[in-house]
Amino acid sequence: AAGAAAPPGALSPFDRRLKRKQKNWAALQPEAAKCDYLREEVRRARAGGGRGPAAPLTPSPFPLALDVGSGRGYIAQHLTKETVGKLIQVDIAENALKNTLETEIPTVSVVADEEFLPFREDTFDLVVSSLSLHWVNDLPKAFREIHQVLKPDGVFIGAMFGGDTLYELRCSLQLAELEREGGFSPHVSPFTAVSDLGHLLSRAGFNTLTVDTDEIQVNYPGLFELMEDLQGKCMGESNCSWNRKPLLHRETILAAAAIYQEMYGNSDGSVPATFQIYYMIGWKFHESQAKPAQRGSATVSFGDLAKINGLLSRKEK
């Protein structure tokens, strides 16, 4: 089912065949590694260096892990054999899997769609996904698939782009099209709202959820350099929405670049691009996991919290 295309509609906003072509083309570009800066920043946050929730620390390694939407293996190169025994890398783009980065752990590459994981139930101890699920048509189904292939007490650790991603670019293009063409079309893909993410994970069966959001701001010389990174050089992040406009008129692009600079430009002449990142951790239920106390079993009232400062002051005296 890799790259399966569904007909356009409210439940199928993306052309998955086109996205597969975009990612395959990007994976073959000679300077592909130059555009890894977003993935590197997300990885740093996953390791506890940023605002996103850090990966859970466990005394024992994960014997078998799955990387959903692995690309060229951005996560694998930062894993060690002390934490992961074997990693299965899944992506819709075969060229990305043919050009995976070196890693010290054993890996197996599988061409498959994130919505149709070809694995048995209760297979993996760990599932990870970084900056891939925002192109999935059926995100609830993708979460259910991930939950299904996890073993009980297995953990899912993910990161995906959020709703405020590239708002500067989106606004500039819309204003330019309104000015030059009398209307506008979507040039940046739709994103999931963070308010929906916890509900979707819970409905898929995950518990002990942690969801956080952060923003990464990258400065570019101008709009053209930003679009070159997103579309042309290496990211493979070109819009693949069914309702996308096939091309932008030169006058509209020039107007958008001027609007971008005027509305958001930095004092040094560069322009910022904001990438909102949603971080998530969820566990598959197991009897050994801690359970919340029963309702009404509390022995301390919230009203007693006001007395804590007084008690501590008397103790210090």
Side-chain angles (χ1 to χ4, degrees):
L11 299 180
S12 178
F14 303 123
D15 183 347
R16 294 288 289 173
R17 290 184 187 271
L18 176 60
K19 177 49 58 182
R20 181 183 184 183
K21 291 180 180 179
Q22 291 170 349
K23 294 182 70 175
N24 269 326
W25 187 86
L28 296 179
Q29 301 312 301
E31 64 263 346
K34 293 182 180 179
C35 291
D36 289 349
Y37 46 84
L38 282 178
R39 293 182 174 89
E40 281 296 314
E41 182 64 22
V42 170
R43 181 201 62 80
R44 186 184 67 83
R46 300 307 305 171
R51 287 193 60 248
L57 300 177
T58 57
S60 57
F62 300 100
L64 186 61
L66 172 67
D67 184 357
V68 178
S70 63
R72 297 189 304 120
Y74 312 101
I75 294 179
Q77 61 178 327
H78 299 289
L79 299 176
T80 65
K81 55 187 177 183
E82 286 75 28
T83 56
V84 172
K86 184 177 183 180
L87 179 69
I88 309 298
Q89 297 176 306
V90 168
D91 201 277
I92 61 172
E94 59 271 20
N95 288 344
L97 296 176
K98 290 177 182 177
N99 294 275
T100 54
L101 303 168
E102 292 185 5
T103 176
E104 67 177 61
I105 61 175
T107 60
V108 175
S109 298
V110 177
V111 180
D113 196 295
E114 291 94 333
E115 295 180 32
F116 305 95
L117 298 179
F119 306 106
R120 294 181 179 179
E121 187 175 356
D122 301 338
T123 298
F124 298 97
D125 307 279
L126 167 70
V127 176
V128 295
S129 181
S130 182
L131 304 185
S132 170
L133 293 176
H134 58 288
W135 289 121
V136 168
N137 274 321
D138 193 343
L139 188 58
K141 184 178 187 298
F143 283 152
R144 291 196 300 270
E145 290 274 320
I146 291 172
H147 183 270
Q148 180 173 305
V149 301
L150 271 174
K151 292 180 179 178
D153 203 32
V155 61
F156 166 56
I157 305 173
M160 62 185 293
F161 287 123
D164 287 339
T165 294
L166 298 176
Y167 72 86
E168 304 98 338
L169 176 62
R170 184 187 297 116
C171 182
S172 300
L173 288 171
Q174 288 178 354
L175 290 175
E177 279 193 314
L178 283 171
E179 176 190 340
R180 298 302 173 96
E181 303 178 34
F184 64 86
S185 301
H187 295 283
V188 179
S189 68
F191 296 102
T192 303
V194 69
S195 57
D196 297 329
L197 196 56
H199 173 69
L200 293 176
L201 289 166
S202 178
R203 195 170 69 178
F206 291 99
N207 58 21
T208 319
L209 294 173
T210 302
V211 177
D212 197 5
T213 181
D214 195 8
E215 288 186 353
I216 300 173
Q217 193 171 85
V218 182
N219 293 321
Y220 293 87
L223 177 144
F224 295 100
E225 288 79 8
L226 166 61
M227 295 184 69
E228 185 180 16
D229 268 15
L230 292 174
Q231 300 176 352
K233 286 203 298 185
C234 45
M235 282 190 183
E237 291 293 330
S238 298
N239 190 3
C240 68
S241 303
W242 285 107
N243 61 349
R244 69 192 179 279
K245 193 173 182 177
L247 58 87
L248 275 169
H249 297 293
R250 175 179 173 80
E251 294 77 9
T252 302
I253 297 177
L254 292 173
I259 292 171
Y260 204 134
Q261 181 65 52
E262 179 66 25
M263 292 183 62
Y264 305 106
N266 299 316
S267 59
D268 62 357
S270 64
V271 295
T274 299
F275 298 88
Q276 186 180 39
I277 312 296
Y278 298 156
Y279 299 95
M280 66 204 90
I281 296 176
W283 299 79
K284 189 169 182 177
F285 176 77
H286 188 267
E287 290 292 340
S288 64
Q289 294 174 352
K291 301 178 181 62
Q294 293 184 354
R295 186 179 181 86
S297 63
T299 58
V300 178
S301 170
F302 277 110
D304 295 333
L305 294 176
K307 306 175 184 178
I308 290 179
N309 289 336
L311 292 173
L312 291 176
S313 299
R314 287 201 296 271
K315 185 175 180 181
E316 290 173 357
K317 293 177 181 179

